[in-house]
Amino acid sequence: MDQQKLDFISHHFIPLLKTLPAESVGKWGKMNPQQMVEHVSGFFQVSTNKIHFPFVTPLEHLPKYIEFLRSDKPFRENTKAPILPDEPRPVRFANMEAAINDLEKEVAVFKAAFEKEPSLITQHPVFGDLGYDDWVLLHYKHISHHLKQFGLL
């Protein structure tokens, strides 16, 4: 497992988000900062089976997707998950602070779920069945993508 990536997720990600003004505009994409935070929170919920989407990747493509996941290659700008709508979802929380607090809770739930059951496997709709190590890599890749989107990395 990549301890450096886990440390970034656990200790540096949320403090960076707390510096992001709610009225910021991303370098790409349609989401505002709060929509992005809530989107990332939902992504953590997928990793703990709180939210489930059907698996959409043709099996013949899965090996190259897993190779990408395990590489240092970043997501491209404007990468859109095939299960997401074209327009960002409306915000669920009253403000950015509440959205960040929810995300912080979901990060803790993620870590606790895999500490409780280290062999836990949960399904990502594109990358398939993932264990803890692969989820850490994917979360790191995903949050780095959105931090770059809003100029925080």
Side-chain angles (χ1 to χ4, degrees):
M1 195 247 306
D2 193 318
Q3 190 61 45
Q4 188 175 9
K5 288 179 170 72
L6 180 60
D7 287 345
F8 184 83
I9 293 166
S10 302
H11 304 294
H12 303 287
F13 174 48
I14 299 296
L16 274 174
L17 286 178
K18 289 180 178 180
T19 70
L20 179 61
E23 65 279 358
S24 296
V25 176
K27 296 177 179 182
W28 67 81
K30 298 178 180 180
M31 287 188 276
N32 66 39
Q34 186 172 335
Q35 288 168 320
M36 177 271 290
V37 168
E38 292 182 17
H39 159 77
V40 173
S41 183
F43 198 79
F44 274 91
Q45 291 175 339
V46 170
S47 67
T48 59
N49 271 335
K50 281 187 174 181
I51 297 175
H52 189 270
F53 293 99
F55 181 64
V56 298
T57 300
L59 289 178
E60 64 270 16
H61 296 277
L62 193 55
K64 76 175 183 181
Y65 286 14
I66 296 298
E67 181 181 337
F68 166 76
L69 166 64
R70 293 176 180 162
S71 77
D72 287 331
K73 294 177 185 173
F75 286 116
R76 291 187 303 244
E77 293 179 8
N78 285 310
T79 297
K80 184 187 156 307
I83 50 107
L84 294 179
D86 288 334
E87 294 301 318
R89 293 193 165 107
V91 296
R92 299 184 331 258
F93 293 93
N95 55 45
M96 182 79 159
E97 182 181 5
I100 291 172
N101 289 341
D102 177 70
L103 174 56
E104 191 168 24
K105 178 190 75 156
E106 293 302 336
V107 171
V109 167
F110 165 73
K111 290 172 53 185
F114 283 91
E115 284 171 8
K116 181 180 177 187
E117 191 178 338
S119 62
L120 179 64
I121 302 291
T122 58
Q123 186 182 75
H124 182 274
V126 173
F127 294 98
D129 291 341
L130 302 177
Y132 186 58
D133 292 354
D134 283 335
W135 272 115
V136 168
L137 294 175
L138 185 53
H139 281 307
Y140 179 81
K141 195 175 289 251
H142 186 233
I143 66 176
S144 297
H145 171 76
H146 286 295
L147 291 172
K148 289 175 191 168
Q149 178 185 16
F150 286 94
L152 296 174
L153 271 187

